[in-house]
Structures are given as structure tokens and as C-alpha cells.
Amino acid sequence: MTISAERCRQILAAAQGTRVLVVGDMVVDEHIIGHSTRLSREAPVPVIERRGHLFVPGGAANPAYNARSLGSDVSVCGLVGDDEMGDRLRRILDEAGIHTAGLATEPSRPTSVKLRVWAGGAGQMHYQQVARVDVSNREPMSEQSQQELLLYLEGAIPEYGAVIISDYESGVVDAPILEYVLSSAERHGKRVIVDSHGGFARFQGVTAVTPNQPEAEAELGMSMDDDRALESGGNELRARLGCTHLLITLGGNGLALFSRDEPMKRVAAHSVPGLVDATGAGDTVASAFTLSLLGNADPVEAAEIANAAGAAVVSRLGASTTRPEEVAAMLEAAGD
């Protein structure tokens, strides 16, 4: 660990109020939380007695929520349906102080929802995810919605310091939207950070791409199961994409940073006691890396802050956010 907690505080303080635009697939993460002490008589499944019911921003709304929690001025650009979940997501984002003028409503398209059911037992048993039900539409967006988003982006991109593209392959990051974002960002000198579930070849020449290890392996068609393979594969993927930085998250093994003309930098994982739920951790990493760059961090400092931010959220159930002081505290604990 090379960055101190104090340096982390300085960087994230410098990032306060910086402007970030998040473009991508908006999702509501719904969580039903309960206790289970018996199996159903009708089928070999647990009977869940509901104790809690949560709705939090998911998909591209999650990096926006994280960037806002870390102190940025954030806007979102994407689609919601003309339905209860779309209204709910707008309210959640509005209440967090995230600008939603870039959300287009497409009546024929349901708002994407990922419902997770969590169950815990008696005593000290940790909660575990026992079921997930998704509502999604992967069809192309309507021409009207596309034009509405393009019109919004035309006015928005020049006003923001960085653009996060969050692609969950649900139709928003299509060819015309992506082409416009990349060309406009280049024209106006804006950083572009990409958090995508695949198809990385589309994102040529961006500031950073932040896949997890399975996504990077799928793109390369090879396993990266040791340091030599990781370094070789990471360097190849970064060169193939022409991006300035490639940040591969490695789950419980931390992350690896690949930068142009620099050797691979490994950042070790932080110790996280108790529950570990990686839902949305990659979104947190992308947001923290972006804000750190806007706060004048060098790439290694930004990677270490992003790694600590990701560790801070995996100890909470479902997609979560962190704040600057929590990130600094993770680094402080690691230095003890």
C-alpha cells in the first residue's frame, strides 16, 4: 500500500463538486430480506418470513449514486419505463441530489428491475441470496428515445468533467449513442471511464476500462489464473482497446492496473470481516477511480482509492455506496 489515508482525504476533497455524467442502463435493485427456519411442504425450497424490503439504484444508477455519495455533482442519462419502478427510481435519484433531466421515459419498455431474495437463519447465520428475478428488455430503444438522449447529451457533455459509461447490455449504449459520447468527449477533452459487461472492442481510446476478471478473460478468450497470465493478458487487452488505463478487479484478490508504458500494478485486497456481498462493487470501483482522477490523483493512487472504496461496500447487503471518510478509514486500517 503506497497511499496514505491523509493523501486519500486530500484527493477526495479536491474532487468535491466535480461534475460527472453517467450514461447507461438504469436499474432498480429490489431486495427482500427475511428469515428462514424451515422448508416448504410444496417444494424443497426455504420459506422466507419477510423482515425487510429495500429499493436501491442499480445498473448505471449505482455508479451515479456512488459518485454522488463521494461528493460529485452527478447527472444520469438513460431510460426508464412509464411505471411504478420508473417513478420510484426517479424519486430515489432526486432525493440523493442526482440530476435526472437526462432520463427518458419509454412507455412500451418496463423499467429494469433485479429482485434479490435474501435469507438468514437463527443465531449468527449470515444472510445468503436464495433467489433472483429480473425484469428487463434487451430490445433496441425507440428512435424517439434515442433522439431524446442524443439531444440531452449534446448539451450535457461539454459541461461535465468526466463521463462514466455503464453498459449492462439493455439497449441504451447502442452504436449511435456510443459514437456520439466518444466523439463529443474527445472533442471537448473529457475523460471517459467504461464499466461494461462485455463488447469492450467498442470502447476504443477511452481513459479507462474497468472489467472484472471473468469479463476480461471472456474478451481475451484466455484464463488469467496466475500473475504471469494476468500481466500478459492485461497488457494485451489494454493495447487492444487503446485505452490509457485498464483496471481489472479480481474479487477477493484486489485489482490490477495496466497503464500505457507502465508495468502492471497489483493492489492487494482489504480484509473484510463477516458478510461479503460483491453486488455493485464494480460500480463503486469505477466511480471512485473517476473521482480520484478528477481530484488530481495519479493512476496508482486512483486505483488504491478505488480498491478501498470497493472493499468498503462489500460488507453491506446489496448494491451500496461509501463516503470519503469510510474510504480513508479503510486505508488507515490497512496501514496499521
Side-chain angles (χ1 to χ4, degrees), residues 34-66:
H35 285 185
S36 175
T37 57
R38 60 191 174 90
L39 291 177
S40 168
R41 293 180 179 178
E42 291 86 8
V45 295
V47 175
I48 310 298
E49 295 181 3
R50 195 175 78 177
R51 302 295 177 87
H53 196 181
L54 304 176
F55 300 89
V56 295
N62 189 36
Y65 210 48
N66 271 274

Side-chain angles (χ1 to χ4, degrees), residues 281-300:
D283 299 327
T284 303
V285 167
S287 298
F289 189 74
T290 303
L291 261 72
S292 297
L293 293 179
L294 292 175
N296 299 316
D298 67 41
V300 175

Side-chain angles (χ1 to χ4, degrees), residues 29-289:
D29 280 350
E30 182 177 5
H31 300 273
I32 293 176
I33 304 162
H35 285 185
S36 175
T37 57
R38 60 191 174 90
L39 291 177
S40 168
R41 293 180 179 178
E42 291 86 8
V45 295
V47 175
I48 310 298
E49 295 181 3
R50 195 175 78 177
R51 302 295 177 87
H53 196 181
L54 304 176
F55 300 89
V56 295
N62 189 36
Y65 210 48
N66 271 274
R68 179 61 182 153
S69 182
L70 288 168
S72 186
D73 181 20
V74 183
S75 291
V76 291
C77 178
L79 294 179
V80 294
D82 185 11
D83 51 26
E84 178 188 353
M85 285 300 187
D87 293 341
R88 186 184 293 276
L89 183 57
R90 285 183 185 274
R91 286 197 304 272
I92 293 171
L93 296 175
D94 287 338
E95 289 168 3
I98 295 169
H99 309 296
T100 57
L103 287 185
T105 299
E106 188 164 291
S108 63
R109 191 184 200 93
T111 301
S112 294
V113 179
K114 295 181 180 179
L115 166 63
R116 296 172 175 89
V117 181
W118 300 84
Q124 300 300 310
M125 184 180 294
H126 292 307
Y127 284 96
Q128 293 182 322
Q129 190 177 146
V130 298
R132 174 171 151 178
V133 181
D134 288 3
V135 175
S136 61
N137 184 336
R138 300 189 183 279
E139 295 299 316
M141 74 178 99
S142 69
E143 184 176 346
Q144 179 178 339
S145 294
Q146 185 185 84
Q147 291 304 310
E148 189 174 339
L149 296 187
L150 287 169
L151 181 62
Y152 173 79
L153 290 167
E154 181 180 355
I157 289 176
E159 303 299 321
Y160 287 80
V163 180
I164 297 175
I165 299 175
S166 181
D167 182 19
Y168 280 73
E169 301 176 323
S170 293
V172 169
V173 187
D174 64 8
I177 294 290
L178 179 58
E179 181 180 347
Y180 185 82
V181 170
L182 296 183
S183 62
S184 180
E186 182 179 14
R187 190 164 61 250
H188 294 285
K190 307 300 182 180
R191 291 182 174 95
V192 177
I193 285 75
V194 173
D195 184 22
S196 175
H197 281 218
F200 298 107
R202 297 171 293 158
F203 306 106
Q204 290 290 319
V206 299
T207 307
V209 181
T210 64
N212 60 33
Q213 183 176 348
E215 290 164 348
E217 290 175 336
E219 185 75 15
L220 288 165
M222 61 174 280
S223 174
M224 296 188 290
D225 53 3
D226 58 39
D227 277 358
R228 174 179 284 186
L230 176 63
E231 183 165 14
S232 174
N235 283 325
E236 180 183 339
L237 183 56
R238 193 214 60 76
R240 190 184 293 183
L241 301 180
C243 54
T244 307
H245 309 292
L246 176 72
L247 195 68
I248 301 179
T249 55
L250 305 171
N253 293 316
L255 55 80
L257 173 68
F258 303 85
S259 298
R260 190 173 291 152
D261 301 323
E262 295 289 339
M264 177 181 76
K265 171 66 178 180
R266 284 292 300 268
V267 181
H270 291 262
S271 175
V272 180
L275 171 74
V276 175
D277 175 23
T279 304
D283 299 327
T284 303
V285 167
S287 298
F289 189 74

Side-chain angles (χ1 to χ4, degrees), residues 302-318:
E304 292 185 340
I305 291 172
N307 185 56
V313 301
V314 297
S315 60
R316 305 188 186 104
L317 205 62

